PDB file of all heavy atoms in Angstrom:
ATOM      1  N   ALA A 159      -4.473  -3.348  -6.450  1.00  0.00           N
ATOM      2  CA  ALA A 159      -3.322  -2.538  -6.139  1.00  0.00           C
ATOM      3  C   ALA A 159      -3.026  -1.647  -7.342  1.00  0.00           C
ATOM      4  O   ALA A 159      -2.663  -0.429  -7.189  1.00  0.00           O
ATOM      5  CB  ALA A 159      -2.076  -3.381  -5.781  1.00  0.00           C
ATOM      6  N   VAL A 219      11.915  -1.130  -5.542  1.00  0.00           N
ATOM      7  CA  VAL A 219      11.175  -1.820  -4.511  1.00  0.00           C
ATOM      8  C   VAL A 219      12.046  -2.111  -3.329  1.00  0.00           C
ATOM      9  O   VAL A 219      13.137  -2.734  -3.460  1.00  0.00           O
ATOM     10  CB  VAL A 219      10.577  -3.168  -5.039  1.00  0.00           C
ATOM     11  CG1 VAL A 219       9.764  -3.852  -4.044  1.00  0.00           C
ATOM     12  CG2 VAL A 219       9.712  -2.879  -6.313  1.00  0.00           C
ATOM     13  N   MET A 268      10.541   3.219  10.730  1.00  0.00           N
ATOM     14  CA  MET A 268      11.877   2.765  10.271  1.00  0.00           C
ATOM     15  C   MET A 268      12.326   3.547   9.079  1.00  0.00           C
ATOM     16  O   MET A 268      13.477   3.891   8.957  1.00  0.00           O
ATOM     17  CB  MET A 268      11.715   1.267   9.833  1.00  0.00           C
ATOM     18  CG  MET A 268      12.037   0.282  10.854  1.00  0.00           C
ATOM     19  SD  MET A 268      11.652  -1.314  10.100  1.00  0.00           S
ATOM     20  CE  MET A 268      10.919  -2.031  11.463  1.00  0.00           C
ATOM     21  N   ILE A 277       6.281   9.982   2.328  1.00  0.00           N
ATOM     22  CA  ILE A 277       5.718   8.592   2.461  1.00  0.00           C
ATOM     23  C   ILE A 277       4.212   8.661   2.303  1.00  0.00           C
ATOM     24  O   ILE A 277       3.561   9.555   2.839  1.00  0.00           O
ATOM     25  CB  ILE A 277       6.093   8.065   3.855  1.00  0.00           C
ATOM     26  CG1 ILE A 277       7.613   8.064   4.066  1.00  0.00           C
ATOM     27  CG2 ILE A 277       5.515   6.592   4.002  1.00  0.00           C
ATOM     28  CD1 ILE A 277       8.033   7.638   5.531  1.00  0.00           C
ATOM     29  N   MET A 292      -2.502   5.460  12.889  1.00  0.00           N
ATOM     30  CA  MET A 292      -1.626   6.065  11.825  1.00  0.00           C
ATOM     31  C   MET A 292      -1.665   7.561  11.886  1.00  0.00           C
ATOM     32  O   MET A 292      -0.654   8.234  11.696  1.00  0.00           O
ATOM     33  CB  MET A 292      -2.047   5.513  10.444  1.00  0.00           C
ATOM     34  CG  MET A 292      -1.578   4.114  10.151  1.00  0.00           C
ATOM     35  SD  MET A 292       0.137   4.133   9.615  1.00  0.00           S
ATOM     36  CE  MET A 292      -0.036   4.844   8.057  1.00  0.00           C
TER      37      MET A 292
END
Side-chain angles (χ1 to χ4, degrees):
V219 182
M268 265 176 222
I277 304 173
M292 280 280 288

